[in-house]
Amino acid sequence: MKHLFLSIIVCALCLSASAQRVVNIDLWPKGAPHKSSVKNDTARLTVYIADPKRATGRAIVICPGGGYAGHAMKTEGTDWAEFFNNMGITAAVLKYRLPHGKAEVPLEDGEEAMRVMRQFAGEWRINTNDVGIMGSSAGGHLASYVATHAEGSAKPNFQILFYPVITMLSGITHQGSHDNLLGKNVKEKKEKQYSSDLSVTRVTPRAFIVLSDDDDVVQPANGVNYYTELYRHDVPASLHVWPTGGHGFGSKLGFKFHMQLLMELQGWLESF
């Protein structure tokens, strides 16, 4: 397998008083199918491998948000590793390439990250039929796109979305994410192509969706409409709308409903 030749750096960290193995991977050591328009922009995967004594076989790829202009790597990425590892889940944080109007670039990174997790399933004690994807804000668009479009070893078994950008259609989309992903002057046909709610089918993986009612950055209608399409296609889904919290609360302890969120997410993960 090609990824046996990836450049891998393994180091030991201490997390929750237990040894944690962290692996850093260059996602495209031999070059990606679609080239980034930014020189030296590379995709990397940081994998926090669950303690073998706790490992359940489940794994998740985490896509931080940032409006497709940057990455909220901490609060929407690495800070979640401890939560998942404590549940025996191996967590991989994806630093995807930014699109600059070339939508294929970050989206193929998301799919390749899923493939890598399954290719290393034996080494990392992962069940290939229990690998999910998580994303926040624009990362939620990336995660939902992979969930609704990927096939074979790139297709997730479940999805977790925090205040996600879902549609690219004018009036509901987050305009910054739209422009960074597709460009400013784009036809409606292409906007529909990259609107995840329009691509839901009966084989779309189950979902856990979180957002706040007072989000004034990404309209709550994005997540709500996605949930509606999942429901309409008989896909198991759980929608959680908090009364306050705004946008981008991620793993922040200052989020008023932080503990309730963790309990509900844990309960959902333990339900299947």
Side-chain angles (χ1 to χ4, degrees):
M1 295 184 294
K2 65 178 180 179
H3 287 285
L4 291 178
F5 301 99
L6 292 175
S7 173
I8 301 178
I9 302 172
V10 181
C11 62
L13 296 177
C14 181
L15 184 61
S16 295
S18 64
Q20 182 194 40
R21 184 183 175 205
V22 181
V23 178
N24 294 300
I25 296 178
D26 180 352
L27 210 58
W28 302 105
K30 297 182 180 180
H34 292 90
K35 303 299 181 183
S36 172
S37 58
V38 178
K39 188 176 181 180
N40 298 323
D41 186 14
T42 59
R44 293 188 176 89
L45 199 61
T46 302
V47 187
Y48 297 81
I49 301 172
D51 186 329
K53 296 179 180 179
R54 289 186 173 185
T56 62
R58 178 167 285 173
I60 189 165
V61 171
I62 303 172
C63 307
Y68 280 128
H71 305 87
M73 293 298 291
K74 191 174 188 298
T75 57
E76 295 176 354
T78 56
D79 279 358
W80 283 101
E82 181 176 3
F83 171 80
F84 288 113
N85 280 179
N86 285 342
M87 290 188 66
I89 300 171
T90 290
V93 181
L94 174 63
K95 183 267 176 188
Y96 50 89
R97 293 169 297 156
L98 299 175
H100 299 282
K102 297 177 68 174
E104 302 88 351
V105 169
L107 301 176
E108 71 182 7
D109 290 349
E111 293 192 4
E112 184 68 3
M114 294 297 299
R115 295 188 190 100
V116 168
M117 298 301 285
R118 291 189 168 107
Q119 287 169 355
F120 281 96
E123 182 178 341
W124 298 339
R125 299 172 184 264
I126 292 173
N127 176 356
T128 57
N129 293 316
D130 201 4
V131 184
I133 194 165
M134 172 177 172
S136 302
S137 195
H141 176 265
L142 173 53
S144 65
Y145 186 91
V146 172
T148 52
H149 289 79
E151 298 178 350
S153 61
K155 188 176 181 63
N157 298 107
F158 60 92
Q159 54 182 315
I160 299 171
L161 307 176
F162 276 52
Y163 36 84
V165 177
I166 293 292
T167 184
M168 286 291 128
L169 291 174
S170 177
I172 303 179
T173 189
H174 175 247
Q175 200 61 44
S177 297
H178 169 284
D179 294 351
N180 290 324
L181 183 69
L182 304 178
K184 293 182 178 181
N185 299 312
V186 60
K187 294 182 179 180
E188 185 176 337
K189 181 179 179 180
K190 190 169 186 179
E191 291 177 331
K192 288 182 177 180
Q193 178 185 347
Y194 289 96
S195 295
S196 300
D197 54 327
L198 301 181
S199 300
V200 173
T201 69
R202 292 183 183 276
V203 297
T204 297
R206 66 178 68 226
F208 182 92
I209 306 168
V210 180
L211 47 89
S212 63
D213 186 63
D214 64 348
D215 190 335
D216 59 359
V217 177
V218 174
Q219 291 187 41
N222 280 263
V224 173
N225 290 348
Y226 190 58
Y227 169 81
T228 300
E229 288 303 309
L230 293 168
Y231 177 82
R232 195 168 69 85
H233 287 84
D234 297 321
V235 176
S238 180
L239 175 64
H240 303 259
V241 182
W242 303 106
T244 60
H247 187 78
F249 49 82
S251 63
K252 295 176 184 176
L253 293 174
F255 175 51
K256 184 176 180 180
F257 305 99
H258 178 73
M259 293 309 299
Q260 293 98 314
L261 167 60
L262 296 186
M263 287 189 293
E264 294 197 13
L265 178 54
Q266 180 173 344
W268 181 77
L269 287 165
E270 292 175 343
S271 71
F272 62 94

